[in-house]
Amino acid sequence: MGRVFRIPREPGAGGTIILAMIGGLILAHAGWKGWLIGIAVALVTFFTFDYAFDSYRSWRIGGMGLALILNGLAYAIPALYWFGKSALRPSPENPLFAPLTVVAVLFALHFTFSRTKGWKNPVTYALGNLLPAVPALFAPAVAGKSFNSDILVFWFLLAYYEAIGAAYVETKLAFRRFPRKYPLIAWLPAFVVVLYNPYLFLALIEPTVRLVMNLRDNTYVARIEDIKRLGWSVFRSVMLLYAITLAVLYFE
């Protein structure tokens, strides 16, 4: 499995981990100490992400336990510093409650699909892409701030489009032939966020246009160089949605 601490193989996953925490800290209105702690915590997740993922994929209990301990302590210690024993209480007011609930649901879904459909299944792959954005949810807890709905909506859009983007890439692979209509159909529920803030519609425009245009595109890629270029194209699209969503929620 290699070293515990290393740079993620997929730049998109590593970038999302850091940017998700930054977005969460902005929306949590963190102070300077919260920023220092939050970035330090995000770096722990950044450098252990591949080790945790490889351990999970190969079902190495020792590796999964070590990754869980390292990341668990990284997020729990700041929360205990800010909130004391209340950070351990199973209550909706606990700033760790919502993030841990989301993570538990995501892992349950991913575990179910990975074990029943396999790791190469497009749904399994898409669900895995929901995880790098999770640090956004923990930003309030590590910065000593209350959890708020803006952060939940920000995480939802970022993580959801990460998953849809992964499914979009699957439709482009010559050796997959994943139906192109599925990512678009799966993307439509994202429009529920306009009920929270109508201006979030601006963040949905480019992804929706991309997915609609994909229905009429009959090109496929197979070379690793082309797949990497496609991945970077999707990452740029994700970052556009990231910037617009963050701006709308922060300034509105």
Side-chain angles (χ1 to χ4, degrees):
M1 289 191 301
R3 293 176 294 118
V4 176
F5 298 97
R6 57 185 189 267
I7 296 174
R9 289 185 296 270
E10 294 190 17
T16 299
I17 290 169
I18 301 300
L19 289 170
M21 176 61 80
I22 290 173
L25 292 171
I26 290 173
L27 294 176
H29 303 282
W32 67 268
K33 190 181 293 186
W35 273 92
L36 290 177
I37 295 173
I39 296 301
V41 169
L43 288 174
V44 173
T45 301
F46 177 90
F47 285 110
T48 61
F49 183 78
D50 273 9
Y51 179 80
F53 184 79
D54 291 344
S55 298
Y56 172 50
R57 184 166 185 171
S58 58
W59 205 243
R60 295 178 182 271
I61 303 300
M64 287 191 293
L66 178 58
L68 181 62
I69 290 171
L70 288 173
N71 282 275
L73 290 175
Y75 288 95
I77 290 175
L80 289 170
Y81 168 76
W82 292 111
F83 299 99
K85 293 182 180 179
S86 62
L88 301 176
R89 296 171 185 165
S91 167
E93 286 74 32
N94 182 342
L96 289 175
F97 179 81
L100 290 175
T101 300
V102 171
V103 170
V105 172
L106 291 182
F107 269 110
L109 288 172
H110 192 271
F111 176 82
T112 299
F113 275 91
S114 65
R115 296 297 156 178
T116 58
K117 302 295 184 180
W119 282 88
K120 294 183 178 180
N121 182 270
V123 177
T124 302
Y125 182 63
L127 286 171
N129 279 268
L130 291 168
L131 297 173
V134 160
L137 295 172
F138 286 95
V142 301
K145 300 293 182 178
S146 300
F147 191 84
N148 62 65
S149 56
D150 279 354
I151 291 174
L152 181 61
V153 171
F154 168 73
W155 168 82
F156 169 75
L157 269 186
L158 179 60
Y160 197 61
Y161 188 44
E162 286 272 10
I164 296 299
Y168 167 82
V169 171
E170 292 288 307
T171 69
K172 296 284 193 178
L173 302 181
F175 46 87
R176 285 279 199 272
R177 297 300 176 104
F178 187 56
R180 298 187 179 226
K181 64 181 179 181
Y182 288 170
L184 177 59
I185 294 172
W187 172 245
L188 295 179
F191 280 82
V192 70
V193 298
V194 301
L195 298 176
Y196 180 78
N197 187 320
Y199 291 106
L200 287 174
F201 177 77
L202 298 173
L204 305 176
I205 295 175
E206 194 276 343
T208 305
V209 171
R210 175 183 288 260
L211 295 172
V212 170
M213 292 179 63
N214 189 43
L215 296 176
R216 303 180 63 180
D217 186 1
N218 294 317
T219 60
Y220 291 92
V221 298
R223 297 190 308 162
I224 188 64
E225 295 83 3
D226 295 330
I227 296 174
K228 286 183 178 179
R229 277 195 291 270
L230 180 60
W232 278 112
S233 172
V234 172
F235 183 69
R236 288 192 294 269
S237 180
V238 170
M239 288 303 98
L240 177 61
L241 175 136
Y242 169 92
I244 296 174
T245 301
L246 190 57
V248 168
L249 293 174
Y250 186 79
F251 292 108
E252 177 60 20

